[in-house]
Amino acid sequence: MPEPSPSSPVLPASVPEAVHRRRWAVLGVLMLSLLIVVLDNSILNVAVKTIASPAPTGLGATQSELEWAINSYTLVFAGLLFASGLLGDRLGRKKSLLFGLAVFGAGSALAAFSGSPGELIAFRAVMGLGAAFVMPATLAVLMNVFERDEQPKAIGIWAGGVGLAIAIGPITGGVLLEHFWWGSIFLVNVPVVLVALALMTWLVPESRDPAPGRIDLVGVGLSVLGLVLLVYGIIRGGERASFTEAGVLVPVLAGLAVLTAFVLYEKRSDHPALDVSYFRKPVFSAAVAAIALVFFALMGVTFFSAFYLQSVRGYSALDSGLLLLPLALAQMVFAPRARLAVERFGARAVCATGMAAVALGLGAFAFFDADTPVWVMALVFLVQGAGMAHIMPPVTVAIMQTLPREKAGSGSAVNNTFRQVGGALGVAVLGSVLSSVYRGEIEPHLTALPPAARAAAGESLEATLAVADKLGAGSLVAPAHQAFLDAMHVTAYASAAVAVVGTVVVAVFLPGRTPSPAHPAPAPAEPADRVRR
């Protein structure tokens, strides 16, 4: 994955000059599209309490309905990522972007004016459909408007944008909820989508695979079915805080079986949707694994840190969002510069150090208590952001530059699919650890409650505090906070352990620093994808 040294010969340009001149403007449009899609993946988290309130303040949604308002987006998004990337390669990535943005904008407008929790769940699924076409196409277009030597820099900026969107989602949601009704967190997407559509039509060139061959309908169908079943099972496991129930095991095992059939079918197909031989390359597989592992660990911590900041520390949704600013700033500063570190030290050292920093930041949560100073929390988020900034760009470059440029949509889809599945699995598994430890810690303090209230209060910290408030049992608050802190500490150790595994994976399999030869031989030009002016 090393970049060409300054002494390397200049490769023949494979991007038309007219496109090359406006490449940074195109990247800006792609970042705008990326921002709203990633931001909306986290913005709903700060509004769940408001949406749970009775009308007219909210929709009176139950806990299960709130979970599915979040999960319907994730399920459709993750399930269709690979298929949408493949279609973008065949039909045109610009068309994929325009279609995805239009659907996302329409879903956002409908979600903003939902009249019931069921409508909100359905319209969030529509938004997930649109996002599935936008996310892989942004990275695929990037690979086709930048020459190979500039791709690491552009991908660094792209990765920094992902981190920024994750961090400012809660901030944006907090600001909107303080001044407007709950639907504003969706309606705000509409004007951004309209601007992005106009700029995209004007600036972004069309590109596609010049020789796509026959479409692999069986492979596409198997990928969608397998991913939907797997993600659905993961989500159900997180909801039930158990992975042993039939309603969880059956879809998970079925999803894994279908995905296994997908891989076996692709190996035998003469026109595969995904050339699975790429996974035999250690660099490609290690980069994909690193993305899944870092998002497994990080999304799990993001899940419980929101409860820690708001329910234990008493911060508002806006204040909690602002505490994530150091993470966003670290991403913005370091991600575009990660390529410089890779040039000097090699991808192995940079990514292993980044993973170790993420593990350190995650492990720090094991020492947080109800009085941890704000500056300490801000420092931990800064370390996490800096660590991620030195992981995501190099591993994304490794994935995207392993595949031919004409398969950029499929490569981007693989990248984002593993990120989504890893994140969903992190929330589900680490959320289950948090729930089970919390339940074991709080149950001895609930014996004085009526049986029905006792069962409800043991579900979560929020449930315990709600029962305590309703019954006037103020003596439960302190034990509930301590039980949650104990559960958070155990979960933090588990998250850090996953990040340590990621550190080992990248340290073993990613390439080290490759010295530049004194007299390099001219390299052949990369096959040019078909890019329209």
Side-chain angles (χ1 to χ4, degrees):
M1 194 186 63
E3 296 178 44
S5 67
S7 59
S8 300
V10 178
L11 300 180
S14 55
V15 177
E17 180 60 29
V19 174
H20 182 74
R21 283 198 303 268
R22 63 177 188 266
R23 64 197 185 283
W24 297 109
V26 171
L27 180 60
V29 179
L30 299 178
M31 295 294 292
L32 185 63
S33 307
L34 183 70
L35 184 69
I36 58 170
V37 169
V38 178
L39 182 147
D40 204 83
N41 220 357
S42 61
I43 195 171
L44 182 59
N45 293 328
V46 302
V48 290
K49 288 185 178 180
T50 305
I51 296 173
S53 302
T57 303
L59 293 175
T62 65
Q63 181 67 27
S64 176
E65 288 168 337
L66 288 173
E67 289 172 352
W68 274 106
I70 296 171
N71 292 334
S72 62
Y73 181 93
T74 303
L75 182 64
V76 176
F77 186 25
L80 294 180
L81 269 172
F82 177 74
S84 64
L86 182 67
L87 288 173
D89 281 344
R90 296 182 63 87
L91 304 177
R93 289 132 193 170
K94 180 176 181 176
K95 289 186 182 71
S96 181
L97 272 171
L98 292 172
F99 171 77
L101 275 176
V103 171
F104 186 86
S108 297
L110 292 169
F113 296 101
S114 298
S116 67
E119 289 183 6
L120 179 61
I121 292 169
F123 296 142
R124 285 279 294 170
V126 173
M127 294 171 66
L129 170 63
F133 279 84
V134 172
M135 190 75 173
T138 59
L139 190 52
V141 170
L142 180 155
M143 296 299 291
N144 282 278
V145 297
F146 285 90
E147 298 290 356
R148 188 177 180 88
D149 61 335
E150 281 192 320
Q151 286 171 0
K153 181 178 181 179
I155 287 174
I157 296 172
W158 181 91
V162 173
L164 174 64
I166 291 172
I168 68 172
I171 300 173
T172 305
V175 170
L176 290 170
L177 289 174
E178 284 197 357
H179 296 90
F180 305 101
W181 97 112
W182 66 266
S184 62
I185 65 172
F186 301 117
L187 197 60
V188 71
N189 294 333
V190 177
V192 180
V193 165
L194 293 175
V195 171
L197 285 171
L199 291 174
M200 197 172 294
T201 302
W202 176 35
L203 290 171
V204 175
E206 183 61 282
S207 64
R208 61 170 61 90
D209 186 345
R214 289 186 295 139
I215 188 167
D216 180 13
L217 291 176
V218 174
V220 171
L222 288 173
S223 72
V224 173
L225 179 60
L227 285 169
V228 167
L229 285 171
L230 177 62
V231 175
Y232 175 79
I234 291 170
I235 289 171
R236 287 292 293 166
E239 288 179 347
R240 306 294 296 174
S242 170
F243 283 84
T244 58
E245 296 182 6
V248 175
L249 274 178
V250 170
V252 167
L253 294 177
L256 291 174
V258 172
L259 290 175
T260 300
F262 166 72
V263 171
L264 294 175
Y265 180 83
E266 295 301 281
K267 289 175 68 175
R268 293 175 171 83
S269 175
D270 58 358
H271 57 288
L274 174 66
D275 186 349
V276 294
S277 66
Y278 285 112
F279 285 93
R280 297 196 192 109
K281 301 181 179 182
V283 172
F284 183 85
S285 294
V288 167
I291 286 175
L293 289 169
V294 75
F295 272 89
F296 179 101
L298 189 74
M299 294 307 290
V301 165
T302 302
F303 172 75
F304 68 66
S305 65
F307 292 102
Y308 167 69
L309 293 172
Q310 295 185 44
S311 298
V312 176
R313 300 301 298 266
Y315 295 124
S316 68
L318 178 57
D319 291 337
S320 300
L322 289 172
L323 271 172
L324 292 176
L325 272 180
L327 186 147
L329 291 174
Q331 292 266 344
M332 291 174 62
V333 171
F334 292 111
R337 293 169 173 79
R339 63 190 173 85
L340 303 176
V342 171
E343 288 174 359
R344 182 168 182 179
F345 302 108
R348 178 187 301 160
V350 171
C351 290
T353 303
M355 274 291 213
V358 170
L360 182 65
L362 297 174
F365 275 88
F367 301 93
F368 283 9
D369 56 30
D371 302 310
T372 301
V374 170
W375 70 266
V376 173
M377 293 187 287
L379 180 61
V380 168
F381 284 125
L382 183 69
V383 170
Q384 287 181 333
M388 283 195 68
H390 287 89
I391 299 168
M392 299 309 296
V395 296
T396 302
V397 169
I399 293 170
M400 298 306 296
Q401 291 194 343
T402 298
L403 273 67
R405 177 177 273 177
E406 61 268 19
K407 303 295 183 184
S410 299
S412 177
V414 168
N415 174 49
N416 287 297
T417 298
F418 274 83
R419 182 176 69 85
Q420 281 295 119
V421 173
L425 195 58
V427 171
V429 173
L430 297 177
S432 298
V433 172
L434 184 77
S435 297
S436 61
V437 175
Y438 176 80
R439 190 177 296 113
E441 293 278 338
I442 196 61
E443 279 181 353
H445 300 278
L446 304 177
T447 53
L449 296 178
R454 191 184 313 153
E459 289 297 321
S460 66
L461 172 62
E462 289 295 314
T464 305
L465 296 178
V467 169
D469 181 62
K470 183 178 180 180
L471 300 180
S475 59
L476 279 179
V477 173
H481 285 171
Q482 188 57 51
F484 180 83
L485 288 172
D486 292 342
M488 183 181 78
H489 295 161
V490 173
T491 311
Y493 283 128
S495 304
V498 171
V500 169
V501 172
T503 304
V504 174
V505 168
V506 298
V508 172
F509 294 107
L510 286 188
R513 183 172 181 270
T514 304
S516 300
H519 301 287
E526 182 183 10
D529 197 354
R530 187 166 71 200
V531 180
R532 297 181 186 173
R533 295 170 185 267

